[in-house]
Amino acid sequence: MSVSSDAPDLPAPGGAVTDPAERADTDTDTDTGTATDADTGTATGTGNQTDSAAGTPRPVPQPSGLGPLLARLHFYAGVLVAPFLLVAAVTGLLYTFTPQLDAFVYDKELTVAHPAGTARPLAEQVDAALARHPKGALVAVRPGTGDRTTQVDFTLPELGERAHTVYVDPYTGKVNGRLTTWYGSTPLKTWLDDLHRNLHLGATGRYYSEIAASWLWVLVLGGLVLWWRRQRRNRTARRLLVPDLAAKKGVRRTRGWHAVTGVWLAIGLLVLSATGLTWSRFAGSHFGEALDSLGSGTPGVSTALPGASADHQSGHHHGGTASHSGQGADPAAIDDVLAAARRDGLSGPVAIDVPQDGTTAWKVSQTRNLWPVGRDSVAVDASHTSNTSDASHAEAAKVVDRVDFADWPVLAKLTRWGINAHMGTLFGLVNQILLAVLAIGLTCMIFWGYRMWWQRRPTRADRGALFGAPPARGAWRGIPYGALTAGVVVVVALGWALPLFGIPLAGFLATDLVVGAVRRRRTVTSPTESGSTV
């Protein structure tokens, strides 16, 4: 595939490059006197050149080795995948500051105006929510602490994965409002999350974000290798980490800013790529299967209650009051359930999953996303509280299963930490600022990449072009057979694990082969025409 001619301006006699953009982008090969691209070490001219001393044609050296091949891949991936990365960077930047946006837009629902005194029993707060939302099934409660309201979730068939969340002042029992949420996320946060994940296009839109995540690490690692090779004559920290400020303009200055920014942001961008892939559509599925096969999936507590009686399933507890949710669980038992979880060591913010029948235990899980992450969870059996006095309710509700975050497999912990870091919650405001820097830096790198493409264009009147030429093809011929075979195996394996890396790559290669065949045919039919050589 090519965006413009593979052949930049031919050097003038003596090997001098006459085009200003070309001159800024080439070095002189000390062995041959040929103008060469400093990234790849390959000649920038094509066809035969005239030896200034003998006046006879001499062939231009063909590209060979890993460097030129990597440069060509980096070029095409940069040109064609960068738009996906740009969209991901901009939408990710918007999503990064959803906590502050939520606090501004939904201040009434999320916060308590005057937090003071002792919170009312959680059952009373749930009753207030049930009075406001009598329809639907009560499925979850997140008790409010400090100046945060208590959130009570209800599901309805027409809502699908979403829920109605009622927000209750824990100190007064007053309902502050109701929102349609997605796993506890506000409408604004849900909208921005969908924009970042799928551009509001559903499953089809998820292709864009997975392409971006699948290729970001390739561009980052490839760029690091190319920048390292370019500094082969003087690999100092200053040359690698500081742009060439002596270059006042031109492609050298642009490349310096593009590459150095990539070096500084490399680790963060690689983390974003890896964590983004963990919940992508296709690669994420493969990742989940791999974790399960290694026994490293996220563990969960068992909420099954064997031997539950029909009376428990009827939902009549505490004197025979039926559940408002229309299911088997009695909301009046929620204080006993929370007390049992607190006694068992679950501190901080928690979410309580309400069982929908009498054979299922309540589930209480920590929801702390800040470092250190709190994700302990317990299953609580509250099925015997109706047979005891009020004073012993808390003793009757008992923990029947427990899973601590400390006991999670290492890979499951890394996945959890990575997700939190990707979403900007792991280190609070510091995490948000780092994500913003990565998004802005990636946007700048994309701009500089396209600017280099434009700056490298031929500008002579008789050979002008809109954009610069891609690195010459045919570099793979210079790679040793063994290394080439191993490389093909690795690429095929990566293509299977990351389908939206493999499929676009196959498309790049197929299109490039077709373009190369067409140009070879033109060269054969028009031998005097200076075309590209393969």
Side-chain angles (χ1 to χ4, degrees):
M1 177 180 292
S2 179
V3 184
S4 62
S5 171
D6 271 352
D9 287 350
L10 291 175
V17 180
T18 59
D19 182 76
E22 285 285 311
R23 187 181 303 112
D25 191 44
T26 55
D27 295 319
T28 301
D29 188 296
T30 55
D31 293 328
T32 64
T34 304
T36 61
D37 185 279
D39 274 333
T40 65
T42 59
T44 57
T46 57
N48 291 333
Q49 297 181 9
T50 302
D51 188 289
S52 57
T56 58
R58 56 183 173 83
V60 174
Q62 294 303 308
S64 61
L66 178 62
L69 182 63
L70 188 59
R72 190 168 178 83
L73 176 62
H74 190 77
F75 171 83
Y76 276 120
V79 169
L80 300 175
V81 178
F84 297 95
L85 291 172
L86 180 61
V87 173
V90 173
T91 58
L93 180 62
L94 293 175
Y95 180 83
T96 295
F97 292 99
T98 50
Q100 288 76 18
L101 294 173
D102 275 350
F104 176 76
V105 177
Y106 304 111
D107 176 68
K108 175 186 174 183
E109 290 83 3
L110 297 176
T111 60
V112 177
H114 303 289
T118 303
R120 292 179 177 273
L122 192 55
E124 289 186 19
Q125 301 176 48
V126 173
D127 283 341
L130 287 164
R132 177 68 175 268
H133 196 289
K135 296 182 179 180
L138 171 66
V139 292
V141 179
R142 290 175 292 280
T145 57
D147 66 346
R148 308 298 290 180
T149 56
T150 294
Q151 302 177 18
V152 185
D153 293 344
F154 299 88
T155 60
L156 290 167
E158 59 268 26
L159 294 178
E161 288 187 338
R162 285 170 167 75
H164 283 160
T165 298
V166 177
Y167 299 85
V168 183
D169 185 330
Y171 304 101
T172 66
K174 178 185 176 181
V175 173
N176 286 11
R178 189 193 81 179
L179 297 172
T180 300
T181 59
W182 182 66
Y183 295 103
S185 297
T186 65
L188 176 60
K189 185 175 182 179
T190 301
W191 191 89
L192 290 174
D193 182 71
D194 282 342
L195 180 67
H196 180 59
R197 288 193 309 136
N198 57 41
L199 302 178
H200 294 283
L201 298 176
T204 302
R206 295 185 67 182
Y207 290 117
Y208 114 83
S209 57
E210 187 163 352
I211 288 174
S214 298
W215 280 91
L216 178 57
W217 66 274
V218 178
L219 287 166
V220 170
L221 293 180
L224 290 175
V225 173
L226 291 174
W227 187 238
W228 176 263
R229 288 172 57 87
R230 172 171 284 275
Q231 307 304 326
R232 58 187 176 273
R233 297 189 184 94
N234 185 16
R235 287 189 182 127
T236 63
R238 179 176 178 81
R239 291 294 298 270
L240 292 170
L241 300 176
V242 180
D244 184 6
L245 300 179
K248 300 300 182 183
K249 60 181 180 179
V251 71
R252 288 188 185 278
R253 184 180 181 86
T254 305
R255 182 192 287 112
W257 283 105
H258 174 83
V260 167
T261 303
V263 172
W264 281 100
L265 301 183
I267 294 177
L269 294 176
L270 291 174
V271 170
L272 285 181
S273 177
T275 54
L277 287 171
T278 58
W279 68 79
S280 61
R281 187 176 183 185
F282 300 108
S285 176
H286 290 162
F287 179 75
E289 292 172 359
L291 287 182
D292 291 340
S293 66
L294 295 172
S296 297
T298 301
V301 295
S302 172
T303 58
L305 293 176
S309 67
D311 181 62
H312 295 150
Q313 297 179 26
S314 67
H316 292 273
H317 304 299
H318 294 288
T321 302
S323 166
H324 288 76
S325 67
Q327 303 293 336
D330 184 358
I334 194 167
D335 287 289
D336 302 339
V337 170
L338 180 58
R342 294 299 191 195
R343 286 199 317 273
D344 211 57
L346 262 67
S347 59
V350 297
I352 304 172
D353 291 347
V354 181
Q356 300 303 297
D357 57 61
T359 63
T360 305
W362 296 67
K363 179 182 176 182
V364 185
S365 305
Q366 291 178 321
T367 58
R368 178 180 170 85
N369 289 320
L370 287 169
W371 184 272
V373 171
R375 285 286 166 170
D376 298 349
S377 58
V378 296
V380 179
D381 180 5
S383 60
H384 300 288
T385 56
S386 60
N387 300 323
T388 61
S389 65
D390 291 343
S392 61
H393 282 175
E395 295 300 327
K398 59 180 181 180
V399 172
V400 293
D401 193 24
R402 179 182 180 111
V403 173
D404 291 334
F405 183 73
D407 297 328
W408 284 22
V410 173
L411 290 178
K413 288 181 181 178
L414 291 174
T415 301
R416 180 73 259 171
W417 291 329
I419 289 174
N420 289 358
H422 193 109
M423 298 179 69
T425 62
L426 188 60
F427 303 112
L429 182 60
V430 172
N431 199 159
Q432 292 177 271
I433 293 173
L434 289 174
L435 288 177
V437 169
L438 289 173
I440 294 171
L442 179 58
T443 301
C444 292
M445 289 169 61
I446 292 170
F447 167 76
W448 287 322
Y450 279 117
R451 180 169 172 79
M452 279 192 294
W453 185 27
W454 179 78
Q455 287 176 319
R456 294 183 69 251
R457 73 197 189 284
T459 56
R460 278 175 40 177
D462 60 334
R463 293 182 54 80
L466 184 60
F467 294 106
R473 61 171 54 88
W476 62 272
R477 295 190 182 94
I479 300 177
Y481 180 78
L484 183 62
T485 301
V488 170
V489 172
V490 170
V491 169
V492 169
L494 284 173
W496 175 85
L498 311 177
L500 293 190
F501 161 74
I503 294 174
L505 178 60
F508 295 166
L509 294 175
T511 306
D512 202 44
L513 288 173
V514 171
V515 172
V518 170
R519 290 189 172 176
R520 283 197 304 272
R521 183 175 181 180
R522 287 178 180 175
T523 302
V524 171
T525 56
S526 303
T528 59
E529 180 182 345
S530 61
S532 66
T533 57
V534 182

